[in-house]
């Protein structure tokens, strides 16, 4: 039986390379998809500069993962792997996607500096795009209606944004998705010959989960604080057990 | 008609002086009370060292505020105003209250150092008490069953904890409670001859609220990260508008 | 009777949009103007991408506000609203203004990332421009003499820079300017149909002021520490009351 | 064949409860012991307030673990589990141990506030004791010669000190000790009925290790910066791979 | 000719050991004394636990330094060297001094944890004492009138508070006092056999000074932000040159 | 007699202007060179926009300093002084140098924002270049084999990176190099007419050294944590003495 609590909700996840989204927040997307949310993935390169895999292999792997998620995948045209830059063109392109898809929640890589430059730049593109998508007369976006999404959360790919200025962490229980998440990450078979990348995600989520009293938890970050609507909603948030 | 979404939920709020709780998180308690939560207030002194008001006046004011909240008020026996210390006795006393009252959510002053020493010490007492209340064989607590509360949130009284190591802020929309909150704070008439204290809370909540897109918001803090249970719950959290 | 303590002093304030300066540091400029300082405002766009108001309306509003301040207003030619970028051209343009106007104090938006991208970029432009203005042989600035301003302070527009790496906050008592500041902000009538923007500034300044023992205070930031000249000057700085 | 690179070196590790040392830095001690270092463990309580296990069981488990490490174990007399306080008596007791054992390296729990109060207090005891052990005429320590140890490193037990003011993290490759570490932690059988505690340590070390390009790494912290003796020694330190 | 700009101003400096004040903020006191401020020094021990010097020698050295400063020196009765604790008795003692001496500016050691425990504890004593001195009915202080000092600044002795939560640094130009400061520190001849302690202060002040464009600068810290009274006063603060 | 512990090791140091490397990390390079390391210096401009010195003078000074270090100096072609930008071209150029020279350790200016923009941009160029140099198929780098350097350390030139997000400081004892370092910095005679720049480095290193118990220490920073290989190597790191 299908859960439908998120029916009508849309999530748009951005990644720099074909595997970033699945590694960074795949467990969350599996959960959201299961609950009926509509998922869109925007992948800004084919990972064609990476040591392993080539352009077409990696695109194909991303398509498989998207299929498993029940997500629509998009490959907007950018300068490509190692060349992604948070310039105006890339930002307007992302803003246009946001206006067209009108997501309730946007996901992007965390933007701390100590990681692949493409991750950082993608983060900045999305952060700015989310704002440009709102303003009534942004030049270059005239042909699509403005759209305001106030839920923008960042996910870690390799290193952690923790400790970065002005980010508020928020954890999500993904215990029920761990097995599926592993399968999902494995779609990127050119990248996971050795299992270190998968293990990084799983062991990080496991360590976070244990501290919070669940089997596995994913850490996301908001730029700025988060708001709940009432005392009741506040009561649903749990602090650490350890 | 009474809302009852928090029926069966218990909140235990600690304060150092008779007015700390109402000033620091009164708007939240008004909301929770309205939704059916049972409220207990533990006030660690009668504010007898303050410049204005005396022991009995201030106790009476606190009882009026508690009555308005529909809360039960407790005055556990401590060393008193300006003398509150996070020593073992005070901590065990607070832990015993937690074990007896078995709250779902505990509230305490934020514990940064730049404020009245009693606020800081009360914060430390409650933080440790929440832990000692859990352990199976804590000496001195043998006669009450252990109780684990994983929701412990801190509120600001005068200065702000913001920027303090390891605290995660979380905001609550209190727009619907502003008028009542003002009345609630005014119960402490010996403290509010001039309206600066009330104005501090209201203008802070107003500034925070505007940034988040609501009329008024209260900032609380968790020591350590917060966890939501699912993608759906995550979607209910909103980021800043400005 | 005119006060003249700042006679001969020049302040150059930069903003990205027509209302940024008045909202961010209008109260300070009112005070400085009253004391005889000469004020220049450099506005890097006409706010033409905003949801409300158009190019000419907004320029007109800015001119009104400048007139009220007794300031000269400049609209240096940039890529325009939503397109401001801290590239070399924009930086040299700002540096040239600094060399020509030779200010004693420069004001710019704070540059944290969680805000309108134009605010952040303007902040970076001015920070770099202040340095390029100093160096003896900066290419592109040969035709104006170098000028070194060591007072560069940043102001908040919407979200707060507080907590950002390496910024030192400094508060200014603006209690005597609150009423005029309100009028000044109201010059931007296309932006203040509802009064939330004005209220954000006033309630933030009010909350800061109460903590410092005055009616209203404006928070500015220096990148790096601030220096006073002697024990006597140090004695004039006041710490928080709460 | 025995490695002997650390022959003549002494390490003194402090813990609040019988299992803290093995969970927090057991892998490091296994490595040091294997290289010939002499190990002393100072355990400040028998964990008698814990939910699982009793006084004598837990002491026995700690003795087994110490035996596996080839370490001498000490149970200095303190106020006991949940009652450890960084008061003068406890600090002098620890300082006396430091003077008598004359360690080259001291290990203690990290002292951030969001954890079992005994961990935090033990951290503070050791931090101060390390200093009191040095001063020539510390009252109460007259009968043992001063001893200065400049290597004091802190280990995490449950939550992480990361992000705490003024701590410098340093990671150690413990890849070769993972299997033995698991056995060592398992000595505390009353505490590990479910394997979450062991898993927390292993998954945390695994995640850290992968980021650094090794199988498993332990994070320690120095209060204040760390110094290497030369360019050559600097070259032996490796930064992150991801 | 005597400068008298600080005539009528009183400064009360606290130190844990006989040389802390002169090393930590001697240059500032020399400047203030020269400008006519009245200086009081409160030294909480005779440094009797130190490796070098004994009780009477060190008291005598402190008296010489005080004489050079033209300051009155006080040795309030505490638990003594290595035993200073921020308990209620010590705090009330310091609060009583503040009420009696009614200083305009209070100076105390910075309270970060990585230093001699007595420095940290003295810092905490003074921080709390400054607050208890204000409250109208603080028990134990009934016989002296309340006194509010809102200028409380912290100085570094050995390690630096820089980076500590919630501290705002402020630098003072002490270029004109460097030679005298050296003489002042040299009064503590039992402590300065080798010149490292003096060199630490001078080289730190020199490095800070160069960055700010003066010969030598002392760094102090406020807990919480600092307020200036007007745009004019703001203009007197200078930012870094480098 | 020549020391040869670093024989076969290569260090590549980047600087924005002809004197940055010698001022920022000259003492370290002197030590490494003495121990047999091969040194390469990459200088991204001739400092032609500076107030003092001209293009050819400054290049000549840099060549003298390089000669004293026994280093090979490179002047890769960039946009020049005040115009260095972390764009793709500059990053690929630096990445190509890394691939060709295959260093074991890379040094670059620290990248905090409050300094000459060229320093910050050079820092970012090198940080990204170190990553692009590794990836198997980075477009634009096809003709040189990938090279992974995991030791990338940042040095301060004028202001300090201390306190910047995510940087781990590490100090090196440079006591034995102080005299030579002074001579090395003096090679840049057009920049050191007054001795403030040299004094800034020496007094900073002196203050750091005293705190660590050596005569002089240089502070470097790693982006992300540092790893040692074993308990033995960990034992070689020393914490602060003060």
């Amino acid at each position: 039986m299908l859960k439908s609590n998120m029916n009508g909700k849309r999530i748009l996840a951005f990644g720099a390379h074909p595997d970033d989204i699945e590694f960074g927040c795949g467990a969350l997307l599996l959960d959201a998809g299961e609950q009926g949310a509509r998922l869109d993935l925007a992948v800004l390169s084919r990972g064609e500069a990476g040591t392993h895999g080539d352009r077409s292999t990696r695109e194909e792997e991303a398509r498989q993962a998207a299929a498993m998620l029940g997500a629509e995948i998009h490959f907007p045209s950018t300068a490509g792997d190692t060349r992604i830059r948070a310039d105006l063109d890339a930002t307007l392109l992302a803003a246009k996607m946001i206006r067209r898809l009108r997501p309730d929640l946007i996901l992007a890589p965390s933007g701390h500096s100590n990681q692949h430059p493409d991750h950082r730049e993608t983060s900045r593109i999305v952060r700015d795009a989310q704002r440009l998508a709102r303003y009534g007369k942004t030049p270059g976006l005239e042909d699509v209606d403005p759209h305001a999404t106030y839920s923008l959360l960042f996910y870690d790919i390799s290193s952690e944004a923790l400790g970065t200025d002005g980010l508020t962490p928020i954890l999500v229980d993904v215990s029920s998705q761990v097995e599926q998440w592993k399968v999902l990450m494995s779609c990127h078979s050119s990248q996971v010959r050795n299992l270190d990348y998968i293990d990084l995600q799983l062991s990080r989520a496991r360590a976070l989960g244990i501290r919070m009293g669940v089997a596995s938890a994913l850490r996301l970050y908001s730029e700025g604080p988060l708001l709940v609507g009432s005392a009741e909603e506040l009561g649903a948030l749990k602090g650490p057990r350890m």
Side-chain angles (χ1 to χ4, degrees), chain A:
Chain A
M1 204 195 70
L2 224 56
K3 285 182 278 179
S4 56
N5 333 9
M6 293 188 78
N7 267 1
K9 296 288 175 190
R10 298 190 66 148
I11 298 179
L12 170 57
F14 286 88
H17 308 113
D19 53 350
D20 292 348
I21 296 172
E22 284 83 16
F23 277 83
C25 61
L28 174 71
L29 294 177
L30 284 163
D31 184 19
E34 214 176 282
Q35 298 189 40
R38 165 152 180 193
L39 310 176
D40 286 278
L41 314 182
V43 178
L44 303 198
S45 83
R46 263 80 173 184
E48 65 271 16
T51 305
H52 306 291
D54 61 21
R55 214 181 150 71
S56 63
T57 309
R58 299 198 66 184
E59 179 178 331
E60 184 46 35
E61 292 168 354
R63 293 194 182 279
Q64 274 178 39
M68 179 175 165
L69 282 167
E72 185 162 344
I73 191 164
H74 311 261
F75 289 95
S77 165
T78 71
D81 195 0
T82 71
R83 298 174 166 251
I84 297 173
R85 291 272 151 171
D87 56 24
L88 191 60
D89 284 349
T91 306
L92 287 172
L93 193 74
K96 212 173 279 183
M97 291 194 67
I98 293 171
R99 286 195 172 193
R100 276 198 294 104
L101 297 171
R102 311 187 76 72
D104 299 285
L105 168 64
I106 300 173
L107 295 161
S110 52
H112 56 288
S113 56
N114 188 24
Q115 57 177 340
H116 194 306
D118 287 347
H119 300 169
R120 181 193 67 218
E121 296 295 315
T122 300
S123 187
R124 294 176 185 183
I125 288 168
V126 180
R127 184 186 59 202
D128 284 5
Q130 178 224 22
R131 291 192 174 263
L132 297 198
R134 297 188 209 161
Y135 306 134
K137 298 177 207 134
T138 309
L141 299 179
E142 296 84 352
D143 44 346
V144 208
D145 278 347
H147 175 71
T149 308
Y150 296 118
S151 293
L152 165 57
L153 295 170
F154 299 96
Y155 59 82
D156 289 328
I157 301 169
S158 46
S159 57
E160 306 178 8
L162 200 67
T164 303
D165 253 15
L167 288 188
T168 302
I170 180 79
L171 307 189
V172 198
D173 183 356
V174 294
S175 306
S176 65
Q177 305 296 339
V178 171
E179 286 316 307
Q180 287 291 93
W181 188 19
K182 217 164 152 175
V183 177
L184 182 71
M185 291 189 279
S186 304
C187 292
H188 298 279
S189 47
S190 68
Q191 306 304 305
V192 296
R193 304 251 171 94
N194 69 50
L195 296 175
D196 276 6
Y197 288 107
I198 292 180
D199 244 34
L200 174 58
Q201 303 305 331
L202 296 181
S203 54
R204 185 151 58 193
R206 178 80 178 116
L208 286 169
I210 295 173
R211 275 204 58 207
M212 304 306 291
V214 301
S216 202
L218 190 74
R219 183 166 44 206
L220 300 160
Y221 309 89
S222 164
E223 205 172 24
L226 290 165
L227 176 84
V228 295
S230 67
E232 189 197 359
E233 281 181 39
L234 186 72
L237 294 168
K238 292 296 162 202
R241 303 233 159 182
M242 293 191 188

